[in-house]
Amino acid sequence: MSDNNKTNAFAEKLMPIAGKVASSRHLVALRDGFALVMPLIIIGSVFMIISQFPIPAYLNLMSSLFGADWQTTVGWATNATFSVIGMVAVIGISYELAKSYEGIDALSASMVSLASFMLTIPLNIDKAGAAWVPLTQLGSMGLFEALLIGLFITDAFVWMIHKNWQFKMPDTVPPAVGHAFSSLIPGFVIILGMWLLRLGVSFTDFKTIPNVITVIVAQPLNVVGGSIFGALVAEFFVVFLWLFGIHGSNIVGGIMAPIWLGKMTENADAVKAHKAIPNIATQQFFDNFVHFGGAGETLSLALMLMFLAKSENLSAIGKLAGVPGLFNINEPIIFGFPIVLNPVIAIPFVIVPLISVITTYHAMKFGWVGKPLGVAVPWTTPPLISGYLATGKISGAVIQLVNLAIGGAIYYPFFKIADRQALQQEAEKRAQMANK
């Protein structure tokens, strides 16, 4: 069996499995639910850039114009957005999962999930007896809890509705009122169960449900997800799935988003507190230093196609893919080159981003490049600009240039092979046309 036949046979076996994973209602709910969080993170990041822009002259000017506390005042907007992302995530995940089932009022399900989420959070009580909910639990610290509650509570709600554990209202009742009453029994059972769970945990050494989740689930995943090993494994699956036309970034991101977004927020909190930035492997690490130009870091390949390809076909693809590649959109080259099911170009497509993980991680670890500030730079921001904004240092743009050069050197021999093959095919086609 030829290599192409082996590749196609392997793809035929993998595609149904990967397709089922990609279309899993729970994975889709995670992806779309976390999408609800991203606008808040970007808005908060804009205000964070305003308050922490790394140019002393700018900071001094703002202090002279608006007073010494101007950064705190601007930071109100950052706190208002970053401090509710866990609460927004549980609403989004629950809503997206519930609406994937037939006959379920997604809004009611998401409100029950939100109430369950709030029930797990211990109140702070001062000496005067006043109680308040700690914002830290509603923000990044609550992301993993939001993921679990959004999925499991919604599934429990759906199960009870499908078992007809609900009040049936007459058809004359307005739909909004009918949905509210139909969710009474499932909502009561779920809230009662969460209350009993919280009560039971309070008698253990953990004391609170967030502590249980942190120690048993989130803490080990945070350690692995924030390590270079975890970063390499995650990135390998991103590009491996893309080789078969499956959006690996969405699948892996749906699983790892709670970890990477949480670490991003930890970095943002450290910056605001003028402390050392603790994390390297955050959402910005991947978006701005590994996926710039798109998954597989294909920007260097797109530029070679645009300026160096002798094949008319590849040159045309380069012209179509080059500009979108500058804005980190590389579907034109993935499907037009194509990279999908291409055993030759698959080699650099996998190797290049893994090398970028290694070079960037160690450059940040040794202090040669600034760590991500916790600023959510929009993913379409062109390289160099995104590197600078993500780290607040020129070194962020420099490491992008270094990775681009390394990627170009690795892609180049494979590009030449593909260019020669395309030229030969074009010559054969012209010869066939001439003989007709």
Side-chain angles (χ1 to χ4, degrees):
M1 184 182 290
S2 68
D3 289 341
N4 284 338
N5 289 337
K6 289 179 181 178
T7 301
N8 291 332
F10 180 64
E12 288 175 4
K13 293 179 181 178
L14 178 67
M15 285 292 283
I17 299 171
K20 288 181 181 179
V21 173
S23 60
S24 163
R25 70 171 81 232
H26 293 83
L27 196 58
V28 171
L30 283 177
R31 182 196 67 198
D32 295 344
F34 276 114
L36 193 65
V37 172
M38 291 311 298
L40 291 178
I41 293 177
I42 292 173
I43 292 167
S45 296
V46 171
F47 282 94
M48 184 176 171
I49 290 172
I50 293 172
S51 65
Q52 305 289 340
F53 200 70
I55 297 179
Y58 163 80
L59 297 176
N60 293 333
L61 175 63
M62 294 295 284
S63 294
S64 63
L65 291 175
F66 302 107
D69 292 333
W70 73 274
Q71 288 176 304
T72 301
T73 305
V74 174
W76 293 343
T78 302
N79 291 335
T81 51
F82 278 32
S83 297
V84 296
I85 59 176
M87 185 171 65
V88 173
V90 76
I91 295 172
I93 293 168
S94 178
Y95 183 88
E96 293 295 335
L97 180 58
K99 79 176 187 180
S100 71
Y101 292 97
E102 291 185 9
I104 302 298
D105 180 45
L107 185 59
S108 297
S110 64
M111 291 303 99
V112 172
S113 294
L114 174 61
S116 301
F117 177 73
M118 298 299 295
L119 182 56
T120 66
I121 298 174
L123 297 177
N124 286 338
I125 302 176
D126 62 19
K127 294 180 180 178
W132 68 92
V133 176
L135 284 178
T136 53
Q137 292 292 337
L138 301 182
S140 62
M141 288 182 64
L143 270 177
F144 209 89
E145 187 178 350
L147 182 157
L148 296 176
I149 289 177
L151 295 179
F152 287 106
I153 293 299
T154 304
D155 275 339
F157 182 92
V158 169
W159 183 84
M160 283 185 268
I161 291 293
H162 285 170
K163 291 293 183 181
N164 285 321
W165 292 16
Q166 55 183 316
F167 289 116
K168 293 290 186 179
M169 303 299 290
D171 294 338
T172 55
V173 173
V177 177
H179 290 318
F181 275 90
S182 68
S183 65
L184 274 177
I185 295 177
F188 178 80
V189 172
I190 288 171
I191 299 302
L192 175 62
M194 292 300 295
W195 178 77
L196 290 173
L197 178 62
R198 176 174 174 175
L199 184 64
V201 171
S202 70
F203 292 109
T204 69
D205 292 337
F206 290 108
K207 299 300 181 184
T208 69
I209 293 174
N211 285 345
V212 174
I213 294 173
T214 298
V215 172
I216 295 178
V217 182
Q219 209 167 60
L221 283 175
N222 265 315
V223 172
V224 175
S227 68
I228 188 169
F229 172 76
L232 287 169
V233 171
E235 186 55 28
F236 171 79
F237 280 106
V238 168
V239 289
F240 179 75
L241 290 170
W242 265 119
L243 288 175
F244 298 91
I246 300 162
H247 204 304
S249 304
N250 279 350
I251 293 177
V252 175
I255 298 169
M256 299 301 295
I259 297 169
W260 292 339
L261 288 174
K263 290 184 176 298
M264 181 207 75
T265 310
E266 289 175 10
N267 285 7
D269 292 339
V271 170
K272 286 187 290 183
H274 303 288
K275 296 180 179 179
I277 297 175
N279 303 305
I280 295 175
T282 67
Q283 190 69 47
Q284 287 65 50
F285 174 83
F286 290 93
D287 287 350
N288 303 130
F289 301 101
V290 181
H291 296 160
F292 70 92
E297 223 172 285
T298 55
L299 180 57
S300 56
L301 177 60
L303 294 176
M304 282 186 276
L305 293 176
M306 182 185 294
F307 296 110
L308 301 180
K310 296 178 181 178
S311 161
E312 293 178 3
N313 182 41
L314 294 188
S315 178
I317 292 171
K319 290 173 183 176
L320 289 173
V323 174
L326 290 173
F327 295 91
N328 308 313
I329 300 168
N330 68 341
E331 279 81 356
I333 197 169
I334 284 180
F335 296 101
F337 187 79
I339 291 173
V340 172
L341 297 180
N342 186 331
V344 175
I345 210 69
I347 298 171
F349 185 76
V350 172
I351 291 175
V352 168
L354 295 181
I355 289 178
S356 287
V357 169
I358 295 170
T359 56
T360 308
Y361 191 96
H362 285 96
M364 291 180 175
K365 180 180 179 180
F366 295 133
W368 303 332
V369 174
K371 294 179 182 178
L373 294 173
V375 173
V377 181
W379 67 273
T380 51
T381 305
L384 304 188
I385 298 174
S386 63
Y388 174 73
L389 291 177
T391 61
K393 299 179 184 296
I394 295 296
S395 60
V398 172
I399 193 63
Q400 286 182 319
L401 277 176
V402 171
N403 288 339
L404 183 65
I406 294 173
I410 296 171
Y411 268 114
Y412 184 74
F414 297 92
F415 154 75
K416 292 297 291 183
I417 292 171
D419 196 29
R420 283 196 299 269
Q421 290 175 344
L423 273 173
Q424 184 178 351
Q425 291 170 358
E426 290 168 9
E428 291 173 354
K429 186 175 182 180
R430 282 193 292 268
Q432 291 173 358
M433 294 292 290
N435 292 331
K436 285 184 179 180

